[in-house]
Amino acid sequence: MTHAIPSPQAGAAARAAKRLLPWSLPIVLIIVWQLAAQSGWLSSRVLPAPLDVVKAFWTLTASGELFRHVAVSARRALAGFAIGGALGLLLGLATGSWRRAELLLDTTVQMIRNIPPLALIPLVILWFGIDETAKLFLVALGVFFPVYINTFHGIRSVDAGLIEMGRSYGLRGWSLYRDIILPGALPSILVGVRFSLGFMWVILIVAETISAQEGIGYMTMNAREFLMTDVVLVGILLYALLGKLADQLARGLERRWLSWHPNYSSR
Amino acid sequence: MYFSPEESSQVSEAAARSSNGAALKLRGLEKSFGARRVLRDIDLDIRPGQFVAIVGRSGCGKSTLLRLLASLDEASGGSMQIDGQRGDIRMMFQDSRLLPWKHVIDNVTLGLAPAHRRHAQEVLDRVGLGDRARDWPSRLSGGQRQRIALARALVHSPRLLLLDEPLGALDALTRIEMQQLIESLWLEQGFTAILVTHDVQEAVALADRVLLIEDGAIALDLDIRLARPRERASTGFSACEARILSRVLSSPARDDEAAVPEPVFSNFTRISWAI
Ligand SMILES: Nc1ncnc2c1ncn2[C@@H]1O[C@H](COP(=O)(O)OP(=O)(O)OP(=O)(O)O)[C@@H](O)[C@H]1O
Ligand SMILES: [Mg+2]
């Protein structure tokens, strides 16, 4: 097969078209949506017009309310992630590295893993009431398992040949861990982190819509009671945005820490 | 023992070079995995600075022997004496086993204090890859990776270098280049070298002495007294090669081994890859 070599201008135009193409459908949809809402064909109780959503976003931002809710939600998410992620990492490292720890812990963890964290909500409310601890607990629990399991598997799947090589070059204990086992497990650990960052928001959304006095979930639930669909939509979009941000963060970590890996290196 | 027409004053030269190498003394060395006896009754003396090649059919226990020498496995019986400490022994594997998450230079300095970086760079220069010090191993070709692995072993100035088919995965041209590199480094540094290889020609090109392992024991122990650098086309070279090959092929392959069918050629040099 032969390919014609495109001229520079044609190439640039083609590239621009390629960039724009993925966005054309959302843009068309938003325009149609705006028109449908303006003509009254789409009731604002079902969906507010896009412009109304933008306006609501602006008023919420100007009043500082939006920032307050986002800050509260982000703090909950991060604190829960820090607790659950750190525990998952530590226990995963322990069970991955020591047969004893695996025997002691792994069966228990695998059993608990099969309970969806959200199924625990009634129990959690009984234990902690509806205050911060309940939300932290749920987020930490949800984050724990993906990190734990991927750390465990990461450690277990480190190339035995490399470990043997390291030993024969005199690496022992901590240096073997630092130079070979941890870096070898890192790709898997980061997969766990990335997955749990996504899961973190899902859990937080549910936890906040059920019981909260602050936070994005509270804001949307509150707005629902007053039929303020535009604010509800702002909340939903915020979750999408924050989820995307968390994902971007995880990708950033992968690019930074796995730059040696042919699959992750930035071209 | 086999004496070629080209035999020369190499023996005394080898003795003079011996100071950096470790001497080996194996007596009745044995290794079994469960019920399977892989090595039995290995008696072997290796002089300091000698270059020994080990050949034999796949699965005959060559790697097992090297792993015993490197203390990567425990022997099931017999004794093994190597004059020198653990750190004097370095192993080079068939797969380079570079750490993909460390730059080339950090792979070479693995297990060394940072103060050895300069020396590591020198060794890298010596294997011809000084300018790739800051690259990731994944960016290198197979032959380059093996050269890095060689540099990593040599930085430690080993007294015994164990090479387990380090060139097995390389193309013919790169192989010959690597063989020359290994030979020149060996001549320079005078370590004792034990090379496992499938390639009889490679064994004859590099070694002072070729061992054939068969049924877990040493079946042939042949001194190669050809002048270095060795001319592959010479009659002495071909004669050595032919002799080893005929010995290898004289015993039928056992059923449990995935051996290459035995072709009958009049000219043995053409089938140096047969095992
Ligand atoms: N860890 C092990 N457990 C059980 N059996 C083993 C183990 N390692 C090696 N063996 C057996 O020992 C025998 C010799 O293996 P070895 O790896 O030494 O062969 P080799 O001569 O190096 O072969 P090749 O040329 O294919 O590399 C084989 O039959 C193999 O199955
Ligand atoms: Mg082998």
Side-chain angles (χ1 to χ4, degrees):
Chain A
M1 226 164 54
T2 57
H3 292 281
I5 298 165
S7 73
Q9 291 94 336
R15 241 175 294 134
K18 219 173 176 181
R19 263 231 199 116
L20 288 180
L21 201 60
W23 296 103
S24 57
L25 191 61
I27 290 172
V28 168
L29 278 179
I30 287 177
I31 292 173
V32 171
W33 172 14
Q34 176 69 31
L35 292 177
Q38 260 175 4
S39 64
W41 182 72
L42 188 68
S43 155
S44 73
R45 280 192 55 181
V46 178
L47 263 187
L51 278 180
D52 292 341
V53 176
V54 173
K55 261 185 245 160
F57 184 83
W58 179 245
T59 13
L60 284 169
T61 313
S63 70
E65 205 181 334
L66 188 77
F67 178 76
R68 187 166 55 92
H69 290 304
V70 169
V72 167
S73 287
R75 200 169 57 228
R76 280 175 189 149
L78 290 181
F81 178 80
I83 296 170
L87 277 177
L89 185 69
L90 286 179
L91 284 188
L93 290 177
T95 49
S97 314
W98 294 297
R99 178 83 39 194
R100 280 249 173 92
E102 186 196 352
L103 284 176
L104 182 69
L105 290 172
D106 197 55
T107 312
T108 316
V109 173
Q110 298 296 345
M111 249 158 54
I112 302 177
R113 182 172 75 103
N114 289 314
I115 307 169
L118 296 177
L120 290 179
I121 286 180
L123 200 59
V124 168
I125 292 179
L126 279 178
W127 288 346
F128 302 110
I130 53 165
D131 67 351
E132 287 307 290
T133 329
K135 285 175 272 289
L136 278 189
F137 180 84
L138 283 172
V139 172
L141 193 69
V143 162
F144 172 84
F145 292 105
V147 174
Y148 169 82
I149 286 162
N150 285 285
T151 305
F152 176 80
H153 283 296
I155 298 262
R156 279 298 157 86
S157 55
V158 175
D159 184 351
L162 290 183
I163 296 179
E164 184 182 85
M165 185 279 298
R167 288 224 172 89
S168 81
Y169 274 82
L171 301 186
R172 293 279 178 288
W174 168 239
S175 59
L176 189 71
Y177 221 74
R178 182 198 54 201
D179 285 343
I180 297 184
I181 297 177
L182 274 184
L186 198 57
S188 177
I189 295 176
L190 286 182
V191 167
V193 166
R194 190 156 164 200
F195 186 85
S196 66
L197 278 174
F199 205 47
M200 168 183 90
W201 287 118
V202 174
I203 297 210
L204 190 67
I205 293 167
V206 178
E208 281 188 344
T209 41
I210 287 171
S211 62
Q213 275 79 49
E214 277 175 310
I216 304 171
Y218 166 78
M219 186 183 85
T220 49
M221 283 317 275
N222 202 34
R224 184 197 55 110
E225 279 182 24
F226 298 99
L227 298 179
M228 291 154 61
T229 42
D230 47 356
V231 176
V232 172
L233 234 71
V234 169
I236 290 171
L237 289 177
L238 271 179
Y239 275 128
L241 211 69
L242 290 172
K244 180 79 189 156
L245 210 68
D247 197 52
Q248 221 56 47
L249 187 79
R251 275 167 190 265
L253 288 182
E254 282 176 352
R255 259 203 299 278
R256 188 183 163 79
W257 285 342
L258 303 183
S259 54
W260 51 269
H261 202 298
N263 292 358
Y264 294 100
S265 63
S266 41
R267 271 141 295 222
Chain B
M1 278 194 192
Y2 184 79
F3 296 91
S4 82
E6 283 144 307
E7 161 194 344
S8 65
S9 60
Q10 290 296 298
V11 185
S12 55
E13 196 186 296
R17 257 196 348 254
S18 66
S19 53
N20 293 327
L24 267 80
K25 190 170 174 182
L26 311 183
R27 287 291 173 269
L29 198 67
E30 276 188 27
K31 177 69 184 175
S32 309
F33 293 104
R36 167 180 284 153
R37 198 119 166 269
V38 176
L39 293 175
R40 58 187 165 86
D41 257 349
I42 304 275
D43 287 336
L44 186 61
D45 289 282
I46 294 179
R47 274 189 289 106
Q50 197 168 39
F51 200 127
V52 177
I54 301 180
V55 297
R57 287 207 166 83
S58 183
C60 70
K62 305 180 297 289
S63 299
T64 305
L65 178 59
L66 277 206
R67 293 173 56 81
L68 292 183
L69 296 179
S71 307
L72 295 175
D73 276 333
E74 266 320 307
S76 322
S79 73
M80 180 175 97
Q81 263 179 44
I82 303 174
D83 69 326
Q85 285 104 43
R86 232 190 118 79
D88 292 337
I89 305 172
R90 287 291 167 237
M91 174 105 155
M92 203 181 148
F93 303 88
Q94 174 164 14
D95 46 334
S96 56
R97 300 204 184 171
L98 299 180
L99 300 176
W101 44 83
K102 283 183 177 285
H103 286 117
V104 165
I105 184 79
D106 298 317
N107 264 289
V108 176
T109 54
L110 187 73
L112 289 175
H116 291 80
R117 248 181 131 73
R118 270 242 331 270
H119 181 216
Q121 183 63 49
E122 283 164 19
V123 180
L124 264 185
D125 290 335
R126 184 63 188 77
V127 301
L129 288 172
D131 56 332
R132 307 301 295 270
R134 303 299 309 170
D135 265 329
W136 297 117
S138 59
R139 300 280 164 87
L140 302 177
S141 72
Q144 289 170 332
R145 277 180 222 172
Q146 284 306 60
R147 277 194 272 167
I148 304 294
L150 183 62
R152 177 176 65 187
L154 292 179
V155 172
H156 296 257
S157 310
R159 299 181 61 227
L160 173 60
L161 182 62
L162 306 169
L163 304 127
D164 192 355
E165 298 186 44
L167 314 183
L170 306 182
D171 64 273
L173 221 59
T174 316
R175 271 173 95 84
I176 293 181
E177 259 172 42
M178 279 292 283
Q179 287 165 7
Q180 287 164 351
L181 179 66
I182 290 175
E183 184 180 36
S184 64
L185 286 164
W186 168 71
L187 286 169
E188 256 169 59
Q189 306 199 359
F191 46 81
T192 306
I194 303 184
L195 168 75
V196 165
T197 177
H198 270 117
D199 182 359
V200 172
Q201 195 182 57
E202 179 169 291
V204 177
L206 289 174
D208 296 323
R209 181 177 176 193
V210 177
L211 303 176
L212 168 67
I213 299 189
E214 218 171 59
D215 296 332
I218 295 174
L220 175 72
D221 184 345
L222 185 71
D223 280 348
I224 310 283
R225 309 195 165 185
L226 300 171
R228 293 173 194 272
R230 288 177 178 166
E231 192 53 61
R232 280 158 211 258
S234 74
T235 46
F237 194 102
S238 315
C240 284
E241 226 182 315
R243 189 179 149 144
I244 297 167
L245 270 170
S246 64
R247 178 65 190 78
V248 170
L249 298 177
S250 68
S251 75
R254 281 179 308 168
D255 298 333
D256 59 343
E257 290 165 335
V260 184
E262 297 172 50
V264 185
F265 287 129
S266 54
N267 181 357
F268 281 116
T269 55
R270 281 168 52 206
I271 52 164
S272 65
W273 283 91
I275 56 165

